[in-house]
Amino acid sequence: VELAGWGDRRDPDQADRWRSTSHRMRSFADRLRHPDGVSPLFGDSTFDCLEMKSSRPLGNRSEWVGDYYVHRCAGDALIFDTGDMAADSLPAHAHADLLGFELSHAGERIFVDRGVFAYSGSARGEYRSSSSHNVLTIDSEELADVWSSFRMGRRGHVIDRDSECTQEGVWVAAAHDAYRFLGVPRVERYWFLSHEGPWFCWDFVKSSRGRTHLVTSRLWLAENLRMNQTPSGWRIAGE
C-alpha cells in the first residue's frame, strides 16, 4: 500500500498493480481469520502484529482459501490446512504441521496452533516440531526433518484434497505421504461438518507392510481451557 502511494506520482500503472496485489493479500488474510478477528498461528505466525486484527464481518460460508479449507457457522469456525509445509525452494519458516487445523466455537478459540516464540535455540526446534501442532504422528517420527533455525530436510507433501457439500453437512478430506519412509504411503484426515449437529474428525493410516505402528494424535487447547474427564468421556472447560 505504501509503495502504491509512492508510485502514484511516478508510475501510475505500476502503482495500480501494487494496489491490486495488496488487495488480494488482504482479502486472503481476512478470509482466514477466526471469529475474534485475528489470524490463525500456522507456521511462523505470532500475535505481535496488531494490524492483523480485523473487525470486518466474516459471515457464514464454506470455501477453499488457497490450500486452506475454511468453514464458518455463526461463531464457529474450522481452518483446516491442507497445503504443503512450504515451497520446497524456501522452507525457512515452515513447521512440521501437515494437515493441522485451528477451531473456534461460539466466538472463542478452542484448538490452536502454537505459532512461534523463538528463532534460535532449542525452543525454535520445539515450536517447529510436529508435537507442537494438531497433527498425527507415527512411531514418534516427525512429519519433516527440521533442524538449525531455518532448515528442513526430509519432508512430506499433501497428495490429495477434496470437499463435498451435502444436505446433511460438508465433507472435507486431505492426505499426505510424510511417512512413506516407514512403509506408510498415505495418512488421511477427514472432517464431517454437520449443518445441524456436531463436527467430526477422523484420521486413517494405510500401511503397505502390514506392520504395527504407534500412532499419536495431538490436540492443543487455547491457554484458558482445560480437559476434564467425566463418566461419559472428556469435556473442555474454561478457567
Side-chain angles (χ1 to χ4, degrees):
V1 172
E2 292 177 354
L3 282 172
W6 172 85
D8 283 337
R9 300 186 299 274
R10 295 165 176 81
D11 189 341
D13 290 339
Q14 179 62 59
D16 287 343
R17 289 192 290 271
W18 282 331
R19 194 169 284 109
S20 176
T21 299
S22 174
H23 176 76
R24 294 197 305 273
M25 293 170 68
R26 173 63 68 178
S27 175
F28 177 83
D30 281 345
R31 292 160 68 194
L32 285 183
R33 297 184 194 282
H34 278 273
D36 63 10
V38 182
S39 298
L41 287 179
F42 297 127
D44 275 353
S45 300
T46 74
F47 288 140
D48 295 338
C49 299
L50 297 179
E51 66 271 17
M52 293 304 294
K53 184 176 177 61
S54 173
S55 59
R56 301 180 187 182
L58 299 171
N60 295 339
R61 63 179 66 184
S62 294
E63 61 176 345
W64 287 100
V65 182
D67 289 336
Y68 299 91
Y69 194 85
V70 182
H71 179 78
R72 303 184 188 281
C73 182
D76 302 338
L78 168 70
I79 307 170
F80 181 29
D81 183 357
T82 71
D84 285 338
M85 290 175 273
D88 285 336
S89 59
L90 187 63
H93 293 278
H95 291 204
D97 60 355
L98 285 173
L99 306 189
F101 69 94
E102 289 200 1
L103 188 147
S104 286
H105 172 63
E108 301 292 333
R109 294 182 185 229
I110 303 296
F111 298 114
V112 297
D113 196 281
R114 295 184 73 189
V116 63
F117 294 90
Y119 283 102
S120 62
S122 59
R124 174 65 172 162
E126 176 188 348
Y127 285 113
R128 296 181 76 200
S129 69
S130 298
S131 60
S132 289
H133 304 88
N134 297 318
V135 298
L136 179 143
T137 59
I138 298 177
D139 296 340
S140 301
E141 294 282 354
E142 295 286 326
L143 288 161
D145 177 21
V146 293
W147 54 280
S148 188
S149 292
F150 297 98
R151 301 290 186 261
M152 178 179 287
R154 170 192 57 79
R155 73 203 70 170
H157 294 85
V158 173
I159 54 178
D160 193 18
R161 65 176 68 87
D162 196 10
S163 65
E164 181 181 359
C165 293
T166 68
Q167 290 184 342
E168 293 77 22
V170 178
W171 284 94
V172 190
H176 68 72
D177 63 358
Y179 292 113
R180 59 191 183 281
F181 73 100
L182 294 178
V184 181
R186 190 177 180 92
V187 174
E188 302 173 348
R189 173 161 281 180
Y190 290 84
W191 286 90
F192 178 66
L193 311 168
S194 172
H195 293 318
E196 303 296 336
W199 295 356
F200 300 91
C201 181
W202 297 268
D203 289 315
F204 289 91
V205 175
K206 298 185 177 181
S207 175
S208 61
R209 299 176 185 171
R211 292 173 49 191
T212 299
H213 297 278
L214 172 65
V215 177
T216 306
S217 187
R218 291 177 173 83
L219 294 172
W220 282 89
L221 290 173
E223 62 181 355
N224 62 323
L225 301 177
R226 65 182 185 274
M227 296 289 290
N228 292 332
Q229 190 170 16
T230 69
S232 59
W234 291 87
R235 296 183 64 87
I236 298 174
E239 291 181 343

